[in-house]
Amino acid sequence: MRKLLYCMLISLDGYVESLNGDISWSGPDDEVHAFINDLSRDISGALYGRRLYENMSAYWPTADERPDAPQIEIDFARIWRDTPKYVFSKTLDKVDWNSTLVTGDLETEVTRLKQEGDGYLEVGGATLAHSMIRLGLVDEFRIFVHPLLLGRGKPFFPELDTAVRTPLLETRAFDSGIVYLRYGVEH
């Protein structure tokens, strides 16, 4: 059975984007980007909501064709294209770039995807991840904490009715001050 992980870059105070939706502060440096690329190679499927899918598919499908593209982005673009993507949306009619449109019940569909093989599925985007966390579907959190306070914005974690125990599995500090934290989830 595949594990579902939730991985994002966040501010020190726990936000994935500022109040106005800005994420420009979250761009990783080359050291962090290379580490994320290596983690991404182990992903057997990415789960996106409509908004994140549209943002990612507006850039990554051809990012490696830009003459000025850094090698780190060329590498990620190829990983992104090769990774199967499952887009959860009631408003999209079609998806491209190795993607499958999913319109069924979230819990049923994610449970089915988790049962289809081994490895890791990654949920991208806080809104979709919040629903999956509340349903108890997320098995692991991978967080890249920026040394920056936003004060408010979209939080990484949703409000919960009951506590969830998350044992620490791994840490790593980068030269930029970004810290990687990996936590399991006790179900």
Side-chain angles (χ1 to χ4, degrees):
M1 179 182 257
R2 294 194 277 192
K3 288 187 174 183
L4 178 62
L5 58 92
Y6 175 32
C7 178
M8 288 194 83
L9 298 115
I10 70 169
S11 64
L12 181 60
D13 52 351
Y15 297 104
V16 298
E17 61 185 46
S18 68
L19 196 57
N20 65 356
D22 179 39
I23 61 168
S24 62
W25 57 269
S26 68
D29 62 17
D30 284 352
E31 181 187 22
V32 173
H33 207 310
F35 185 78
I36 291 171
N37 286 4
D38 288 341
L39 291 176
S40 297
R41 288 180 222 293
D42 294 334
I43 302 301
S44 61
L47 284 57
Y48 291 158
R50 178 200 51 82
R51 186 172 148 218
L52 183 59
Y53 168 75
E54 289 176 339
N55 286 338
M56 296 292 279
S57 64
Y59 184 76
W60 290 111
T62 58
D64 58 336
E65 297 172 7
R66 291 186 1 248
D68 62 337
Q71 186 57 45
I72 202 88
E73 286 191 17
I74 292 170
D75 187 32
F76 185 78
R78 293 173 180 165
I79 295 166
W80 185 87
R81 273 198 313 267
D82 290 345
T83 302
K85 290 162 277 302
Y86 304 91
V87 182
F88 291 78
S89 175
K90 303 281 188 203
T91 58
L92 292 174
D93 294 324
K94 71 176 193 115
V95 291
D96 296 310
W97 307 110
N98 198 16
S99 303
T100 301
L101 184 60
V102 182
T103 59
D105 174 72
L106 180 66
E107 186 172 15
T108 302
E109 294 292 343
V110 172
T111 300
R112 178 185 60 77
L113 288 169
K114 287 177 73 171
Q115 292 171 345
E116 292 180 351
D118 297 319
Y120 292 99
L121 293 169
E122 179 181 31
V123 58
T127 303
L128 184 61
H130 287 184
S131 297
M132 293 182 189
I133 293 167
R134 287 187 191 107
L135 290 168
L137 297 169
V138 175
D139 302 297
E140 192 173 296
F141 299 104
R142 295 180 179 183
I143 307 165
F144 291 84
V145 183
H146 278 262
L148 164 81
L149 298 172
L150 289 178
R152 55 189 173 160
K154 182 176 281 194
F156 178 79
F157 291 106
E159 291 184 15
L160 298 171
D161 294 329
T162 56
V164 176
R165 294 215 175 272
T166 57
L168 181 64
L169 303 174
E170 181 183 359
T171 63
R172 179 174 172 178
F174 294 91
D175 291 342
S176 62
I178 293 173
V179 176
Y180 170 67
L181 303 169
R182 180 176 160 234
Y183 291 93
V185 175
E186 291 181 4
H187 291 289

